[in-house]
Amino acid sequence: MPEPVETSTPDGVDYGWVMQTTFVLTILVGAPLVAVLSINVDLPTWASRAEFAIRVGAVVWIVVALSVFAYAKRHQDK
């Protein structure tokens, strides 16, 4: 049986969990938010629709990512 590989997590945060949770929550929160916010915006072309979705999605992604990281950091096992 091979020897186990030593691992180190200096921050104590599971970054894999943070990335996966951020991905899922961004889709679950971002898609409905983009749809609701686009109701009152004139988006005549596919390019304008894509640009709008990217701009709103970027803000949603950064807010979700920072929130998930803060949650993981706060609730890490010590």
mmCIF file with all atom_site columns, all heavy atoms in Angstrom, residues 20-36:
data_model
loop_
_atom_site.group_PDB
_atom_site.id
_atom_site.type_symbol
_atom_site.label_atom_id
_atom_site.label_alt_id
_atom_site.label_comp_id
_atom_site.label_asym_id
_atom_site.label_entity_id
_atom_site.label_seq_id
_atom_site.pdbx_PDB_ins_code
_atom_site.Cartn_x
_atom_site.Cartn_y
_atom_site.Cartn_z
_atom_site.occupancy
_atom_site.B_iso_or_equiv
_atom_site.pdbx_formal_charge
_atom_site.auth_seq_id
_atom_site.auth_comp_id
_atom_site.auth_asym_id
_atom_site.auth_atom_id
_atom_site.pdbx_PDB_model_num
ATOM 1   N N   . GLN A 1 20 ? -17.286 25.050 -6.467  1.00 0.00 ? 20 GLN A N   1
ATOM 2   C CA  . GLN A 1 20 ? -18.495 24.332 -6.891  1.00 0.00 ? 20 GLN A CA  1
ATOM 3   C C   . GLN A 1 20 ? -19.759 25.034 -6.397  1.00 0.00 ? 20 GLN A C   1
ATOM 4   O O   . GLN A 1 20 ? -20.735 25.184 -7.144  1.00 0.00 ? 20 GLN A O   1
ATOM 5   C CB  . GLN A 1 20 ? -18.466 22.901 -6.382  1.00 0.00 ? 20 GLN A CB  1
ATOM 6   C CG  . GLN A 1 20 ? -17.426 22.053 -7.053  1.00 0.00 ? 20 GLN A CG  1
ATOM 7   C CD  . GLN A 1 20 ? -17.287 20.686 -6.408  1.00 0.00 ? 20 GLN A CD  1
ATOM 8   O OE1 . GLN A 1 20 ? -17.923 20.383 -5.407  1.00 0.00 ? 20 GLN A OE1 1
ATOM 9   N NE2 . GLN A 1 20 ? -16.451 19.844 -6.993  1.00 0.00 ? 20 GLN A NE2 1
ATOM 10  N N   . THR A 1 21 ? -19.742 25.460 -5.141  1.00 0.00 ? 21 THR A N   1
ATOM 11  C CA  . THR A 1 21 ? -20.908 26.139 -4.580  1.00 0.00 ? 21 THR A CA  1
ATOM 12  C C   . THR A 1 21 ? -21.142 27.482 -5.270  1.00 0.00 ? 21 THR A C   1
ATOM 13  O O   . THR A 1 21 ? -22.282 27.848 -5.556  1.00 0.00 ? 21 THR A O   1
ATOM 14  C CB  . THR A 1 21 ? -20.723 26.337 -3.066  1.00 0.00 ? 21 THR A CB  1
ATOM 15  O OG1 . THR A 1 21 ? -20.456 25.058 -2.469  1.00 0.00 ? 21 THR A OG1 1
ATOM 16  C CG2 . THR A 1 21 ? -21.945 26.934 -2.433  1.00 0.00 ? 21 THR A CG2 1
ATOM 17  N N   . THR A 1 22 ? -20.059 28.187 -5.558  1.00 0.00 ? 22 THR A N   1
ATOM 18  C CA  . THR A 1 22 ? -20.182 29.460 -6.279  1.00 0.00 ? 22 THR A CA  1
ATOM 19  C C   . THR A 1 22 ? -20.809 29.242 -7.646  1.00 0.00 ? 22 THR A C   1
ATOM 20  O O   . THR A 1 22 ? -21.703 29.993 -8.061  1.00 0.00 ? 22 THR A O   1
ATOM 21  C CB  . THR A 1 22 ? -18.803 30.128 -6.425  1.00 0.00 ? 22 THR A CB  1
ATOM 22  O OG1 . THR A 1 22 ? -18.286 30.406 -5.123  1.00 0.00 ? 22 THR A OG1 1
ATOM 23  C CG2 . THR A 1 22 ? -18.893 31.416 -7.224  1.00 0.00 ? 22 THR A CG2 1
ATOM 24  N N   . PHE A 1 23 ? -20.365 28.213 -8.359  1.00 0.00 ? 23 PHE A N   1
ATOM 25  C CA  . PHE A 1 23 ? -20.910 27.914 -9.688  1.00 0.00 ? 23 PHE A CA  1
ATOM 26  C C   . PHE A 1 23 ? -22.411 27.657 -9.620  1.00 0.00 ? 23 PHE A C   1
ATOM 27  O O   . PHE A 1 23 ? -23.195 28.255 -10.364 1.00 0.00 ? 23 PHE A O   1
ATOM 28  C CB  . PHE A 1 23 ? -20.181 26.698 -10.272 1.00 0.00 ? 23 PHE A CB  1
ATOM 29  C CG  . PHE A 1 23 ? -20.709 26.254 -11.603 1.00 0.00 ? 23 PHE A CG  1
ATOM 30  C CD1 . PHE A 1 23 ? -20.399 26.950 -12.752 1.00 0.00 ? 23 PHE A CD1 1
ATOM 31  C CD2 . PHE A 1 23 ? -21.515 25.137 -11.702 1.00 0.00 ? 23 PHE A CD2 1
ATOM 32  C CE1 . PHE A 1 23 ? -20.896 26.543 -13.984 1.00 0.00 ? 23 PHE A CE1 1
ATOM 33  C CE2 . PHE A 1 23 ? -22.011 24.717 -12.927 1.00 0.00 ? 23 PHE A CE2 1
ATOM 34  C CZ  . PHE A 1 23 ? -21.691 25.424 -14.064 1.00 0.00 ? 23 PHE A CZ  1
ATOM 35  N N   . VAL A 1 24 ? -22.822 26.794 -8.709  1.00 0.00 ? 24 VAL A N   1
ATOM 36  C CA  . VAL A 1 24 ? -24.243 26.427 -8.610  1.00 0.00 ? 24 VAL A CA  1
ATOM 37  C C   . VAL A 1 24 ? -25.087 27.620 -8.172  1.00 0.00 ? 24 VAL A C   1
ATOM 38  O O   . VAL A 1 24 ? -26.133 27.903 -8.774  1.00 0.00 ? 24 VAL A O   1
ATOM 39  C CB  . VAL A 1 24 ? -24.422 25.235 -7.645  1.00 0.00 ? 24 VAL A CB  1
ATOM 40  C CG1 . VAL A 1 24 ? -25.890 24.976 -7.360  1.00 0.00 ? 24 VAL A CG1 1
ATOM 41  C CG2 . VAL A 1 24 ? -23.765 23.990 -8.215  1.00 0.00 ? 24 VAL A CG2 1
ATOM 42  N N   . LEU A 1 25 ? -24.648 28.327 -7.132  1.00 0.00 ? 25 LEU A N   1
ATOM 43  C CA  . LEU A 1 25 ? -25.432 29.459 -6.648  1.00 0.00 ? 25 LEU A CA  1
ATOM 44  C C   . LEU A 1 25 ? -25.501 30.606 -7.650  1.00 0.00 ? 25 LEU A C   1
ATOM 45  O O   . LEU A 1 25 ? -26.518 31.293 -7.745  1.00 0.00 ? 25 LEU A O   1
ATOM 46  C CB  . LEU A 1 25 ? -24.870 29.967 -5.320  1.00 0.00 ? 25 LEU A CB  1
ATOM 47  C CG  . LEU A 1 25 ? -25.113 29.067 -4.112  1.00 0.00 ? 25 LEU A CG  1
ATOM 48  C CD1 . LEU A 1 25 ? -24.445 29.649 -2.874  1.00 0.00 ? 25 LEU A CD1 1
ATOM 49  C CD2 . LEU A 1 25 ? -26.597 28.864 -3.879  1.00 0.00 ? 25 LEU A CD2 1
ATOM 50  N N   . THR A 1 26 ? -24.431 30.799 -8.412  1.00 0.00 ? 26 THR A N   1
ATOM 51  C CA  . THR A 1 26 ? -24.450 31.856 -9.425  1.00 0.00 ? 26 THR A CA  1
ATOM 52  C C   . THR A 1 26 ? -25.503 31.557 -10.481 1.00 0.00 ? 26 THR A C   1
ATOM 53  O O   . THR A 1 26 ? -26.221 32.462 -10.930 1.00 0.00 ? 26 THR A O   1
ATOM 54  C CB  . THR A 1 26 ? -23.059 32.019 -10.064 1.00 0.00 ? 26 THR A CB  1
ATOM 55  O OG1 . THR A 1 26 ? -22.134 32.371 -9.044  1.00 0.00 ? 26 THR A OG1 1
ATOM 56  C CG2 . THR A 1 26 ? -23.068 33.094 -11.127 1.00 0.00 ? 26 THR A CG2 1
ATOM 57  N N   . ILE A 1 27 ? -25.624 30.303 -10.871 1.00 0.00 ? 27 ILE A N   1
ATOM 58  C CA  . ILE A 1 27 ? -26.653 29.934 -11.852 1.00 0.00 ? 27 ILE A CA  1
ATOM 59  C C   . ILE A 1 27 ? -28.042 30.062 -11.239 1.00 0.00 ? 27 ILE A C   1
ATOM 60  O O   . ILE A 1 27 ? -28.953 30.637 -11.850 1.00 0.00 ? 27 ILE A O   1
ATOM 61  C CB  . ILE A 1 27 ? -26.420 28.518 -12.390 1.00 0.00 ? 27 ILE A CB  1
ATOM 62  C CG1 . ILE A 1 27 ? -25.147 28.497 -13.227 1.00 0.00 ? 27 ILE A CG1 1
ATOM 63  C CG2 . ILE A 1 27 ? -27.617 28.033 -13.199 1.00 0.00 ? 27 ILE A CG2 1
ATOM 64  C CD1 . ILE A 1 27 ? -24.691 27.126 -13.643 1.00 0.00 ? 27 ILE A CD1 1
ATOM 65  N N   . LEU A 1 28 ? -28.216 29.548 -10.013 1.00 0.00 ? 28 LEU A N   1
ATOM 66  C CA  . LEU A 1 28 ? -29.533 29.575 -9.372  1.00 0.00 ? 28 LEU A CA  1
ATOM 67  C C   . LEU A 1 28 ? -30.007 30.994 -9.067  1.00 0.00 ? 28 LEU A C   1
ATOM 68  O O   . LEU A 1 28 ? -31.192 31.295 -9.179  1.00 0.00 ? 28 LEU A O   1
ATOM 69  C CB  . LEU A 1 28 ? -29.513 28.761 -8.077  1.00 0.00 ? 28 LEU A CB  1
ATOM 70  C CG  . LEU A 1 28 ? -29.370 27.254 -8.229  1.00 0.00 ? 28 LEU A CG  1
ATOM 71  C CD1 . LEU A 1 28 ? -29.275 26.595 -6.862  1.00 0.00 ? 28 LEU A CD1 1
ATOM 72  C CD2 . LEU A 1 28 ? -30.539 26.683 -9.014  1.00 0.00 ? 28 LEU A CD2 1
ATOM 73  N N   . VAL A 1 29 ? -29.089 31.867 -8.695  1.00 0.00 ? 29 VAL A N   1
ATOM 74  C CA  . VAL A 1 29 ? -29.455 33.247 -8.375  1.00 0.00 ? 29 VAL A CA  1
ATOM 75  C C   . VAL A 1 29 ? -29.383 34.134 -9.612  1.00 0.00 ? 29 VAL A C   1
ATOM 76  O O   . VAL A 1 29 ? -30.248 34.976 -9.832  1.00 0.00 ? 29 VAL A O   1
ATOM 77  C CB  . VAL A 1 29 ? -28.523 33.804 -7.264  1.00 0.00 ? 29 VAL A CB  1
ATOM 78  C CG1 . VAL A 1 29 ? -28.748 35.283 -7.037  1.00 0.00 ? 29 VAL A CG1 1
ATOM 79  C CG2 . VAL A 1 29 ? -28.721 33.028 -5.974  1.00 0.00 ? 29 VAL A CG2 1
ATOM 80  N N   . GLY A 1 30 ? -28.353 33.935 -10.433 1.00 0.00 ? 30 GLY A N   1
ATOM 81  C CA  . GLY A 1 30 ? -28.104 34.821 -11.558 1.00 0.00 ? 30 GLY A CA  1
ATOM 82  C C   . GLY A 1 30 ? -29.114 34.736 -12.681 1.00 0.00 ? 30 GLY A C   1
ATOM 83  O O   . GLY A 1 30 ? -29.525 35.768 -13.221 1.00 0.00 ? 30 GLY A O   1
ATOM 84  N N   . ALA A 1 31 ? -29.513 33.529 -13.050 1.00 0.00 ? 31 ALA A N   1
ATOM 85  C CA  . ALA A 1 31 ? -30.451 33.389 -14.177 1.00 0.00 ? 31 ALA A CA  1
ATOM 86  C C   . ALA A 1 31 ? -31.788 34.088 -13.910 1.00 0.00 ? 31 ALA A C   1
ATOM 87  O O   . ALA A 1 31 ? -32.239 34.881 -14.748 1.00 0.00 ? 31 ALA A O   1
ATOM 88  C CB  . ALA A 1 31 ? -30.653 31.918 -14.514 1.00 0.00 ? 31 ALA A CB  1
ATOM 89  N N   . PRO A 1 32 ? -32.422 33.839 -12.763 1.00 0.00 ? 32 PRO A N   1
ATOM 90  C CA  . PRO A 1 32 ? -33.671 34.564 -12.513 1.00 0.00 ? 32 PRO A CA  1
ATOM 91  C C   . PRO A 1 32 ? -33.461 36.071 -12.366 1.00 0.00 ? 32 PRO A C   1
ATOM 92  O O   . PRO A 1 32 ? -34.291 36.860 -12.812 1.00 0.00 ? 32 PRO A O   1
ATOM 93  C CB  . PRO A 1 32 ? -34.188 33.974 -11.197 1.00 0.00 ? 32 PRO A CB  1
ATOM 94  C CG  . PRO A 1 32 ? -33.494 32.671 -11.045 1.00 0.00 ? 32 PRO A CG  1
ATOM 95  C CD  . PRO A 1 32 ? -32.183 32.818 -11.735 1.00 0.00 ? 32 PRO A CD  1
ATOM 96  N N   . LEU A 1 33 ? -32.338 36.463 -11.773 1.00 0.00 ? 33 LEU A N   1
ATOM 97  C CA  . LEU A 1 33 ? -32.076 37.890 -11.598 1.00 0.00 ? 33 LEU A CA  1
ATOM 98  C C   . LEU A 1 33 ? -31.887 38.591 -12.939 1.00 0.00 ? 33 LEU A C   1
ATOM 99  O O   . LEU A 1 33 ? -32.436 39.677 -13.161 1.00 0.00 ? 33 LEU A O   1
ATOM 100 C CB  . LEU A 1 33 ? -30.845 38.097 -10.710 1.00 0.00 ? 33 LEU A CB  1
ATOM 101 C CG  . LEU A 1 33 ? -30.544 39.526 -10.310 1.00 0.00 ? 33 LEU A CG  1
ATOM 102 C CD1 . LEU A 1 33 ? -31.685 40.105 -9.480  1.00 0.00 ? 33 LEU A CD1 1
ATOM 103 C CD2 . LEU A 1 33 ? -29.244 39.586 -9.540  1.00 0.00 ? 33 LEU A CD2 1
ATOM 104 N N   . VAL A 1 34 ? -31.141 37.985 -13.836 1.00 0.00 ? 34 VAL A N   1
ATOM 105 C CA  . VAL A 1 34 ? -30.952 38.559 -15.178 1.00 0.00 ? 34 VAL A CA  1
ATOM 106 C C   . VAL A 1 34 ? -32.296 38.650 -15.892 1.00 0.00 ? 34 VAL A C   1
ATOM 107 O O   . VAL A 1 34 ? -32.601 39.660 -16.537 1.00 0.00 ? 34 VAL A O   1
ATOM 108 C CB  . VAL A 1 34 ? -29.949 37.728 -16.005 1.00 0.00 ? 34 VAL A CB  1
ATOM 109 C CG1 . VAL A 1 34 ? -29.972 38.130 -17.467 1.00 0.00 ? 34 VAL A CG1 1
ATOM 110 C CG2 . VAL A 1 34 ? -28.540 37.877 -15.446 1.00 0.00 ? 34 VAL A CG2 1
ATOM 111 N N   . ALA A 1 35 ? -33.118 37.613 -15.778 1.00 0.00 ? 35 ALA A N   1
ATOM 112 C CA  . ALA A 1 35 ? -34.430 37.624 -16.431 1.00 0.00 ? 35 ALA A CA  1
ATOM 113 C C   . ALA A 1 35 ? -35.315 38.745 -15.887 1.00 0.00 ? 35 ALA A C   1
ATOM 114 O O   . ALA A 1 35 ? -35.956 39.470 -16.656 1.00 0.00 ? 35 ALA A O   1
ATOM 115 C CB  . ALA A 1 35 ? -35.117 36.276 -16.249 1.00 0.00 ? 35 ALA A CB  1
ATOM 116 N N   . VAL A 1 36 ? -35.338 38.897 -14.574 1.00 0.00 ? 36 VAL A N   1
ATOM 117 C CA  . VAL A 1 36 ? -36.181 39.936 -13.970 1.00 0.00 ? 36 VAL A CA  1
ATOM 118 C C   . VAL A 1 36 ? -35.663 41.331 -14.316 1.00 0.00 ? 36 VAL A C   1
ATOM 119 O O   . VAL A 1 36 ? -36.443 42.223 -14.662 1.00 0.00 ? 36 VAL A O   1
ATOM 120 C CB  . VAL A 1 36 ? -36.251 39.744 -12.434 1.00 0.00 ? 36 VAL A CB  1
ATOM 121 C CG1 . VAL A 1 36 ? -36.860 40.950 -11.750 1.00 0.00 ? 36 VAL A CG1 1
ATOM 122 C CG2 . VAL A 1 36 ? -37.035 38.484 -12.099 1.00 0.00 ? 36 VAL A CG2 1
#
